Amino acid sequence: MIGEERVIYLDNNATTRTAPEAVQAMLPYFSEYYGNASSIHKFGGRLAKVVEEGRAKVAAFLGADPSEIIFTSCGTESDNAAILSSLDVCPKRRKIVISTVEHPAILNLGKDLERRGYTVVRIPVDNFGRLDMERARETIDENTAVVSVMWANNETGNLYPVEELAELAHRAGALFHTDAVQAAGKVPFKLRDMEIDMLSVSGHKFHAPKGIGALYVRRGVRFRPFVVGGHQERGRRAGTENVPYIVGMGVAAELALASFDKENTYVRKLRDDLQARLTAAIPNVRVNGDQEHRLPNTTNLSFEYIEGESILMHMDIYGICASSGSACTTGSLEPSHVMRAMGVPYTAAHGAIRFSFSRYNTQEDVDAVVDVMPGIISKIRAISPYWADFVAKNKQ
Ligand code: PLP
């Protein structure tokens, strides 16, 4: 709720509500137990144990050993740390392999690395957003330092074959990293049974606060720190330990671990219900992405011949929060890089809206959206020349 307004929050891939249990657990560590976990005195020093408890909870959530978890400030930092470390520890290998649908945390780092003389290969996807595995097989070679492909895409929810990619990377002697920022909390992990070398997560995507992330580095994988300074995190990430946020992330990880079933039943059902009812009630709606291999909480729908921003503004009047994939660049609305990479037609890419759920959503949220969306879409289409054109052509 903002003021008295009702908020229907279907933008959980952007960020999530911090779990009330996490907030409660964090509170004493701001003004009561505010010491520095690295201090010699008991007041601070005993917080080292609290940090380790948080680490153990995050490790259990990921199916990893606590010694394999490094706390960071966010998913972006974890992604940067993983890629830059891989290049540092394999200096003779000058190539990184990513996909065309990565988050900017990886894509823009890739551009930066190209400017520094590295080769960056971006594996394309098909119309459903599925990765071209043939291309991956051809590309990953003995000059590749690291392969980094996301576990789940933030816009479509598409899941990528990370185990198969890890195997390809290892066959070529390369490291494998995955950005699991969207997958964490929605897909159960058992990293100890997998070949993944490094994995990034971000607290605020699974009901921990913003400003805390983690990087999993499999035991035995060489790692060079990205943030250099003090000895914290066993010299792998400098900076005073963020005790309250580590506590919050630990509690959120525990809750997420206990909620995987709910993600796949309750949350999936809400998502499927919204998608089915909107596609039935509104003409010319396209479902973007791979419906078979997708996160249970995400649906990306294109309302053809109109602009996503306009749809979002109308939804906002009713307190409904979602996202469009467009980015406003130089005053013109460009479809997102994910929609472009998938070759979604121009008339559909512009009207793409992502609805993303969490366990805090309810059936009433879905019903409220289904009530207002047909009216919103008709109203916008009534003034769209592209829609008028489409209707005229289909009358002939
Ligand atoms: N990777 C993916 C797939 C994301 O969706 C996001 C955030 O939207 C990030 C990385 C960046 O995470 P953070 O906001 O914690 O830096």
Side-chain angles (χ1 to χ4, degrees):
M1 303 279 275
I2 298 173
E4 291 307 305
E5 276 171 53
R6 172 156 187 229
V7 170
I8 298 168
Y9 190 75
L10 295 177
D11 204 10
N12 288 279
N13 288 8
T15 195
T16 59
R17 168 190 185 183
T18 306
E21 296 91 330
V23 175
Q24 279 308 313
M26 289 165 69
L27 286 177
Y29 296 96
F30 288 106
S31 47
E32 236 177 294
Y33 310 122
Y34 52 83
N36 186 322
S38 298
S39 292
I40 300 287
H41 49 73
K42 284 203 291 299
F43 179 68
R46 68 182 168 203
L47 295 176
K49 190 166 160 269
V50 173
V51 169
E52 291 320 306
E53 282 164 8
R55 196 187 310 281
K57 286 174 186 171
V58 173
F61 170 54
L62 300 179
D65 191 82
S67 64
E68 296 171 317
I69 306 298
I70 303 171
F71 287 116
T72 64
S73 65
C74 61
T76 303
E77 185 193 323
S78 300
D79 283 346
N80 275 256
I83 303 290
L84 294 173
S85 167
S86 307
L87 295 173
D88 242 9
V89 301
C90 310
K92 293 212 175 91
R93 294 177 176 233
R94 304 288 297 170
K95 177 164 144 186
I96 76 165
V97 177
I98 61 176
S99 80
T100 50
V101 294
E102 295 303 309
H103 187 269
I106 295 286
L107 279 182
N108 287 338
L109 176 63
K111 281 189 203 158
D112 199 49
L113 290 169
E114 277 175 330
R115 283 191 287 270
R116 294 196 233 163
Y118 289 95
T119 302
V120 179
V121 180
R122 299 164 184 85
I123 311 278
V125 296
D126 68 10
N127 292 153
F128 293 97
R130 296 175 301 207
L131 200 69
D132 182 344
M133 288 301 287
E134 206 37 58
R135 190 64 201 287
R137 267 179 224 108
E138 287 160 16
T139 305
I140 300 168
D141 60 11
E142 66 289 342
N143 192 31
T144 308
V146 61
V147 177
S148 179
V149 173
M150 63 195 342
W151 198 316
N153 183 267
N154 40 307
E155 287 189 33
T156 58
N158 272 18
L159 296 168
Y160 289 98
V162 287
E163 296 204 72
E164 210 179 323
L165 288 159
E167 211 180 299
L168 289 179
H170 289 166
R171 231 181 275 159
L175 290 167
F176 181 74
H177 164 257
T178 183
D179 173 338
V181 166
Q182 291 295 342
K186 301 164 194 159
V187 176
F189 295 124
K190 244 206 183 134
L191 290 177
R192 66 174 60 85
D193 297 340
M194 301 180 83
E195 281 196 39
I196 290 167
D197 296 307
M198 284 175 284
L199 173 140
S200 304
V201 297
S202 172
H204 74 102
K205 308 288 185 178
F206 62 93
H207 306 291
K210 295 155 194 63
I212 179 104
L215 177 65
Y216 158 84
V217 181
R218 191 160 61 90
R219 193 180 302 158
V221 170
R222 283 200 296 149
F223 181 77
R224 289 259 185 91
F226 171 57
V227 181
V228 179
H231 60 274
Q232 294 91 349
E233 299 295 287
R234 296 201 290 140
R236 295 181 300 177
R237 200 277 188 182
T240 300
E241 295 88 344
N242 188 348
V243 179
Y245 282 53
I246 289 171
V247 169
M249 195 184 195
V251 172
E254 243 177 357
L255 293 170
L257 189 58
S259 305
F260 279 125
D261 279 351
K262 199 166 181 185
E263 288 292 324
N264 268 297
T265 51
Y266 176 77
V267 174
R268 181 184 291 274
K269 196 157 159 280
L270 292 180
R271 187 276 311 270
D272 288 348
D273 190 39
L274 180 81
Q275 180 179 310
R277 288 165 70 192
L278 288 183
T279 50
I282 303 170
N284 294 82
V285 182
R286 179 195 155 106
V287 183
N288 297 311
D290 178 359
Q291 291 193 62
E292 261 179 67
H293 302 104
R294 186 170 64 152
L295 291 173
N297 81 318
T298 308
T299 180
N300 188 307
L301 303 178
S302 278
F303 300 91
E304 293 179 323
Y305 304 102
I306 50 178
E307 290 283 355
E309 273 53 40
S310 178
I311 303 170
L312 288 180
M313 283 192 286
H314 281 77
M315 288 164 66
D316 197 35
I317 297 168
Y318 298 93
I320 304 168
C321 309
S323 274
S324 78
S326 314
C328 191
T329 46
T330 58
S332 70
L333 287 173
E334 284 293 323
S336 77
H337 71 280
V338 177
M339 292 298 126
R340 278 183 280 142
M342 287 166 60
V344 174
Y346 185 81
T347 47
H350 276 275
I353 301 289
R354 173 188 73 189
F355 298 92
S356 50
F357 289 79
S358 84
R359 59 181 186 271
Y360 293 109
N361 288 115
T362 62
Q363 186 63 45
E364 287 73 49
D365 292 340
V366 174
D367 296 347
V369 176
V370 173
D371 269 357
V372 299
M373 282 305 279
I376 290 176
I377 301 302
S378 303
K379 194 170 160 191
I380 304 171
R381 280 181 176 161
I383 53 166
S384 158
Y386 303 105
W387 178 251
D389 220 37
F390 167 75
V391 172
K393 278 196 190 121
N394 278 277
K395 265 196 191 142
Q396 282 161 14

